[in-house]
Amino acid sequence: MLGIQSVASYLPKGRVDNLEQADRFETDREFVEQKIGVATLPRFEDTDSVVSACVAAFDRLCGKANIDKSEIECVVLCTQNPDKGGLPHNSALVHAALELPEECACFDIGLGCSGYVYGLSVIQSFMAANRMKRGLFFTCDPYSRILDHDDKNTCLLFGDAASVTLISETPRYTLATAKFSTKGAGSDALQKTANGLEMNGRAVFNFALQDVPKQIKRTLVSAELTADDIDLFLLHQGSRFMLENTIKRAGIPAEKAPIRLSATGNTVSSSIPLLLEEELDNRPRRILMSGFGVGLSWATAIYEEVKSS
Amino acid sequence: MLGIQSVASYLPKGRVDNLEQADRFETDREFVEQKIGVATLPRFEDTDSVVSACVAAFDRLCGKANIDKSEIECVVLCTQNPDKGGLPHNSALVHAALELPEECACFDIGLGCSGYVYGLSVIQSFMAANRMKRGLFFTCDPYSRILDHDDKNTCLLFGDAASVTLISETPRYTLATAKFSTKGAGSDALQKTANGLEMNGRAVFNFALQDVPKQIKRTLVSAELTADDIDLFLLHQGSRFMLENTIKRAGIPAEKAPIRLSATGNTVSSSIPLLLEEELDNRPRRILMSGFGVGLSWATAIYEEVKSS
């Protein structure tokens, strides 16, 4: 059965000091540190791109897993801020940069903060149906490209990052169950406009507090599990205040749900794999992941450790 | 088993007379009619959008199949020229427009002319893995949004269209086998730039003639079939001249491979479903589809009629 073998991430070298930004916006530094929960934002510089960040993440993956590039049969890349306006699909550009074989399926998926949970299911099911054995799932959504630099709500929040997950037949974690939901009618809470990214923070907050806990509970019920059976809850790192409240509302023990965005900000579809990479060393037996945001879209999945025989 | 139950397409009302365009570009009318093979191009008007075209295709689908919207569990939309710059994903916007249920997975895929063959496999495998019974796969890639209006190579070629395919547990056709290939190193043959779409027609032509026939043959071999076993070959309708040569090179009997782009032009990922919709009435037993273009990316699949019991 296919599943997650390894995960690596990449933060671009550029940094924005969020407390200096707070001063610029005449915003209380304590609010930025405690409520948003972000001290530093990694930020693309002129030489960075979705492709270069994905390649850098892949280079780090090669330090963790023994990868023969000639065996990669599938590349899926999740972004809504692609290089070259998404034409060609950026997975093809990564295919070129990594010099992957011709018999390799490549496609992009367009999703925001729910993209990691979705994308894992998409690549695994596509690979399984087409009998592929090794694939790479990339996330990279550089919101810095669309930030309105006069909008403190978004400028203080979003960081740039990339991740890659190796999907293989010798996995450490396999998918047990997943749920996917959409509320397109609420999509104007987070959208790209001619002026850049527009966010209705209140609407996103209410969505995270009302809909996400319900889906987490439904997913546990359908797997016939309770929160006690889960070792690790990886929730999309939207903001500290939103996370604290969503975790509480979902009835998740706080010690099982890391909040760790001080050095990264909200990295959209990369926020969960950033955490996952760090947490894998602790060998959690069961992981629940929940991503939520743009769409509005939310997805929750439970992954289980593969018992070594 | 999931498969294709029904297909509907939509051409926007706007029309460009390609022979008048030929005059404007001081290009031979006969070349436009015989080599490119396009007399008229459907074209988005100001009121058209990816979402409105997809909704119009869906309305036509409702005339062909009995659809209960509350039962739709998945929407996948293939485009590289989305509304709102792809944030939110346009599948969420279609979800809102059609008032689909909340328990509905929605995501976009970014692919060009190979998108229909890929996307069918993506949605079917994702739905099967997540035990979903009814889903909609949309294509809509309005190249008019990125045409450089001084570039006759692309202006005479691309038309706007949309399609929707109903994937269900009561299919008329199911997927037998598929192959997917990528040559990212050749992606600059067709790309979006600051000036709009750039196409190296010669590079695309060589790719279609060299790589596509090989994949078609490989797919037949892996299915243990020959061209004789296929009733219908649906090749991406790039241009008449390219199609004629690709068909010949692949050893496909010309009468089994419709060339029909005079009233539509090259509609990217919608070209195969446009043909499929028309051809389904002839009840072909086995259909081979092959899409190729942006990426460079190419995909070939064989679908078989479900025998009614």
Side-chain angles (χ1 to χ4, degrees), chain B residues 3-7 120 124 165-167 171-173 276 289 303:
Chain B
I4 299 171
Q5 183 182 328
S6 189
V7 185
L120 283 178
Q124 290 175 138
T165 303
L166 175 62
I167 304 298
R172 292 181 59 185
Y173 288 89
L276 182 60
M289 305 178 193
Y303 280 81

Side-chain angles (χ1 to χ4, degrees), chain B residues 90-160:
Chain B
N90 286 197
S91 46
L93 299 174
V94 170
H95 176 274
L98 298 181
E99 299 181 332
L100 296 179
E102 198 172 292
E103 302 315 321
C104 179
C106 296
F107 59 93
D108 290 1
I109 60 176
L111 279 170
C113 305
S114 64
Y116 189 67
V117 180
Y118 259 98
L120 283 178
S121 178
V122 170
I123 188 171
Q124 290 175 138
S125 53
F126 177 80
M127 286 176 61
N130 291 291
R131 291 181 213 83
M132 298 169 177
K133 295 176 181 174
R134 258 167 297 272
L136 301 171
F137 174 46
F138 290 93
T139 63
C140 183
D141 212 343
Y143 268 39
S144 62
R145 290 184 168 169
I146 52 166
L147 288 177
D148 168 359
H149 291 279
D150 294 325
D151 179 6
K152 67 177 181 182
N153 292 324
T154 52
C155 284
L156 291 165
L157 196 58
F158 290 102
D160 298 335

Side-chain angles (χ1 to χ4, degrees), chain A residues 80 84-87 89 92-93 95 102-106 108-110 118 121 130 181-182 184 187 191-192 218 294-295, chain B residues 80 84-87 89 92-93 95 102-106 108-110 118 121 130 181-182 184 191-192 218 294-295:
Chain A
Q80 291 182 324
K84 297 200 181 197
L87 195 169
H89 38 296
L93 299 175
H95 176 275
E102 199 171 293
E103 303 316 321
C104 178
C106 296
D108 289 2
I109 59 176
Y118 258 98
S121 178
N130 291 292
S181 306
T182 310
S187 70
Q191 61 183 342
K192 207 187 282 190
R218 277 204 315 125
V294 178
Chain B
Q80 291 181 323
K84 298 200 181 198
L87 196 170
H89 37 296
L93 299 174
H95 176 274
E102 198 172 292
E103 302 315 321
C104 179
C106 296
D108 290 1
I109 60 176
Y118 259 98
S121 178
N130 291 291
S181 306
T182 309
Q191 60 182 343
K192 208 186 284 190
R218 277 204 315 127
V294 178

Side-chain angles (χ1 to χ4, degrees), chain A residues 23-199:
Chain A
D23 298 344
R24 175 166 78 87
F25 285 120
E26 297 177 355
T27 295
D28 188 34
R29 282 182 167 224
E30 197 177 306
F31 176 83
V32 170
E33 279 192 302
Q34 300 303 320
K35 296 294 184 184
I36 300 179
V38 181
T40 314
L41 292 166
R43 186 63 52 90
F44 267 24
E45 293 174 334
D46 290 346
T47 52
D48 293 309
S49 66
V50 168
V51 173
S52 71
C54 287
V55 168
F58 178 81
D59 288 343
R60 290 199 59 234
L61 184 71
C62 290
K64 295 165 180 264
N66 195 1
I67 297 176
D68 178 348
K69 289 198 287 188
S70 72
E71 294 180 346
I72 300 295
E73 295 169 285
C74 186
V75 175
V76 176
L77 191 155
C78 179
T79 189
Q80 291 182 324
N81 287 289
D83 297 346
K84 297 200 181 197
L87 195 169
H89 38 296
N90 285 196
S91 47
L93 299 175
V94 170
H95 176 275
L98 298 182
E99 300 182 333
L100 297 179
E102 199 171 293
E103 303 316 321
C104 178
C106 296
F107 60 93
D108 289 2
I109 59 176
L111 279 170
C113 304
S114 64
Y116 189 68
V117 180
Y118 258 98
L120 283 178
S121 178
V122 170
I123 189 171
Q124 290 174 141
S125 53
F126 177 81
M127 286 176 61
N130 291 292
R131 291 181 214 83
M132 297 168 178
K133 294 176 182 176
R134 261 167 296 273
L136 301 171
F137 173 45
F138 290 94
T139 62
C140 183
D141 211 345
Y143 268 40
S144 63
R145 288 183 169 170
I146 53 166
L147 288 178
D148 168 359
H149 291 279
D150 295 325
D151 179 6
K152 67 176 180 182
N153 292 323
T154 53
C155 283
L156 292 166
L157 196 59
F158 290 102
D160 298 335
S163 79
V164 58
T165 303
L166 175 63
I167 304 298
S168 85
E169 280 195 320
T170 52
R172 292 181 58 185
Y173 288 88
T174 55
L175 176 59
T177 188
K179 300 276 178 203
F180 306 93
S181 306
T182 310
K183 202 185 267 185
S187 70
D188 59 0
L190 206 55
Q191 61 183 342
K192 207 187 282 190
T193 71
N195 299 324
L197 182 69
E198 271 185 14
M199 183 177 79

